[in-house]
């Protein structure tokens, strides 16, 4: 298999450090550099916990120019992730984006840029295969049970709410469900936010607690019955087979793919 040259942005983070391991362990992947907001000019091996000798860049354009990667894996923050994704496309580098917190407008802009540049990009709110199945099963269930609420639970260092997965699940359900208001028509929030966020009538609840990693339950209600579809990630290794799949697939597409469910048969 042809070698794929990769840059990782956010390599020191919880997900990024796991992605460094994945790239190192995969024979046809080659890590050529990492992007950080600190440590310009150092090697990754100078930092605690890494023994990989690749340069650290704080300037992503310079990084792309000097290392000519095929793929950028971005695992940073919502704000920075957007900038990196745009810069990757402008530099002819295929982005694989795990970073969440992008708005509909951001996605539309990136889709336009991807089409203009004619190179592939993958934005995946969740790389875990079990989470993809949870979303697909939820979409199936929503055809039969239209009353649904999403409860996503994450560690308390997470920046965005609702999670990318929660939002994507709501979007997938909304695509097959006629929009409706749930609960009592006269219901009133005594405390603002008590009923959660509202995506086309679907309620989304975000729990943030230390000890959690990434969990989501999609709860459906019908006459005298409920159905719960749940996924739990207990560690960040759970996301890595999806990252590998995304890197391999981004080399084969020439458009923006939003969600791994679009490349998993
Ligand atoms: N798609 C998926 O399956 C998953 C996505 N995520 C998402 O990935 C992102 C990262 O999550 P974590 O690793 O938990 O966060 P983290 O906070 O552990 O890591 C973020 C990293 O980004 C770096 N960073 C911040 N500003 C930067 C800049 N200007 N340039 C380069 N690097 C910069 C930080 O130094 C840090 O190392 C989040 O958006 C999260 O929602 C997390 C888990 C799974
Ligand atoms: O920040 C996280 O941790 C996660 N973020 C993604 C999201 O927002 O859905 C994926 C996963 O849930 C972990």
């Amino acid at each position: 298999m042809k070698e794929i040259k990769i840059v990782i942005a956010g390599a020191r983070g919880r997900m990024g450090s796991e992605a460094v391991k994945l790239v190192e362990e995969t024979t046809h992947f080659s890590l050529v550099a990492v992007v950080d907001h600190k440590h310009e000019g150092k090697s990754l091996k100078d930092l605690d916990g890494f023994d990989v000798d690749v340069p650290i860049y704080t300037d992503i354009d310079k990084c792309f120019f000097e290392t000519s990667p095929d793929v950028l894996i971005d695992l940073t923050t919502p704000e920075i992730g957007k900038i990196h994704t745009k810069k990757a496309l402008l530099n002819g580098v295929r982005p694989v984006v795990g970073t969440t917190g992008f708005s509909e407008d951001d996605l539309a802009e990136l889709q336009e840029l991807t089409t203009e540049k004619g190179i592939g990009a993958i934005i995946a709110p969740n790389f875990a295969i079990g989470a993809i199945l949870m979303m697909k099963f939820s979409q199936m269930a929503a055809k039969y049970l239209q009353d649904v609420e999403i409860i996503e639970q994450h560690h308390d260092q997470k920046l965005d709410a609702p999670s990318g997965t929660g939002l994507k699940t709501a979007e997938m359900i909304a695509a097959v469900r006629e929009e409706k208001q749930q609960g009592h028509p006269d219901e009133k929030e005594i405390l603002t936010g008590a009923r959660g966020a509202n995506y086309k009538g679907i309620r989304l609840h975000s729990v943030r607690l230390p000890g959690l990693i990434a969990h989501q339950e999609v709860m459906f209600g019908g006459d005298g019955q409920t159905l719960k579809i749940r996924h739990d990630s207990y560690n960040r290794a759970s996301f890595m087979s999806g990252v590998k799949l995304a890197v391999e697939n981004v080399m084969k597409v020439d458009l923006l793919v939003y969600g791994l469910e679009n490349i998993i048969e």
Side-chain angles (χ1 to χ4, degrees):
M1 210 178 269
K2 194 174 173 292
E3 184 187 70
I4 302 175
K5 289 165 70 182
I6 298 170
V7 162
I8 299 177
R12 278 189 304 123
R14 288 175 287 265
M15 276 291 282
S17 52
E18 203 64 50
V20 169
K21 277 192 236 159
L22 168 78
V23 173
E24 284 298 290
E25 284 163 12
T26 307
T27 45
H28 58 291
F29 288 0
S30 163
L31 186 66
V32 294
V34 299
V35 176
D36 201 325
H37 54 122
K38 298 195 231 176
H39 307 296
E40 171 72 32
K42 286 192 179 169
S43 163
L44 189 59
K45 76 172 169 28
D46 299 334
L47 308 186
D48 281 351
F50 295 98
D51 61 0
V52 190
D53 189 12
V54 292
I56 303 174
Y57 288 85
T58 53
D59 179 339
I60 200 165
D61 288 313
K62 185 173 162 209
C63 173
F64 291 152
F65 181 75
E66 291 187 0
T67 66
S68 310
D70 301 300
V71 172
L72 165 74
I73 300 177
D74 191 87
L75 296 160
T76 58
T77 65
E79 234 175 89
I80 299 301
K82 258 170 270 169
I83 298 170
H84 284 174
T85 307
K86 260 195 231 169
K87 290 196 168 187
L89 291 167
L90 292 170
N91 281 279
V93 177
R94 294 164 187 260
V96 166
V97 182
T99 306
T100 51
F102 291 12
S103 68
E104 274 179 24
D105 286 351
D106 296 330
L107 291 170
E109 193 188 337
L110 291 169
Q111 180 154 39
E112 212 172 287
L113 189 56
T114 310
T115 309
E116 193 186 308
K117 292 288 162 191
I119 59 168
I122 296 181
I123 298 181
N126 202 312
F127 288 116
I129 179 70
I132 306 298
L133 293 174
M134 170 205 36
M135 290 187 257
K136 287 182 92 141
F137 295 157
S138 300
Q139 191 180 45
M140 280 169 69
K143 286 189 191 162
Y144 306 96
L145 294 165
Q146 284 84 29
D147 285 80
V148 51
E149 305 224 355
I150 299 169
I151 305 110
E152 55 93 345
Q153 307 180 358
H154 282 84
H155 58 92
D156 63 348
Q157 297 306 300
K158 187 162 179 58
L159 295 176
D160 52 316
S163 68
T165 310
L167 197 52
K168 184 73 160 99
T169 310
E171 288 164 5
M172 286 172 68
I173 292 173
V176 298
R177 164 192 182 267
E178 204 165 306
E179 190 167 339
K180 64 177 278 192
Q181 155 130 19
Q182 289 178 193
H184 195 285
D186 298 330
E187 78 178 9
K188 186 170 171 221
E189 281 187 331
I190 307 302
L191 276 183
T192 306
R195 291 287 290 119
N198 185 344
Y199 182 85
K200 299 191 175 171
I202 301 164
R203 295 291 173 168
L204 270 141
H205 310 269
S206 298
V207 178
R208 297 289 178 265
L209 285 172
L212 293 171
I213 302 273
H215 318 263
Q216 181 169 295
E217 194 162 281
V218 186
M219 188 167 177
F220 295 87
D223 280 343
Q225 58 184 314
T226 60
L227 169 69
K228 293 175 192 169
I229 302 174
R230 183 180 173 97
H231 177 259
D232 298 275
S233 269
Y234 297 109
N235 58 37
R236 271 115 193 154
S238 64
F239 301 110
M240 291 304 130
S241 56
V243 176
K244 179 169 181 278
L245 191 75
V247 170
E248 289 164 350
N249 276 274
V250 80
M251 296 303 294
K252 300 177 195 160
V253 293
D254 55 7
L255 73 175
L256 173 68
V257 177
Y258 171 48
L260 276 200
E261 70 281 2
N262 295 303
I263 53 173
I264 288 170
E265 291 303 311

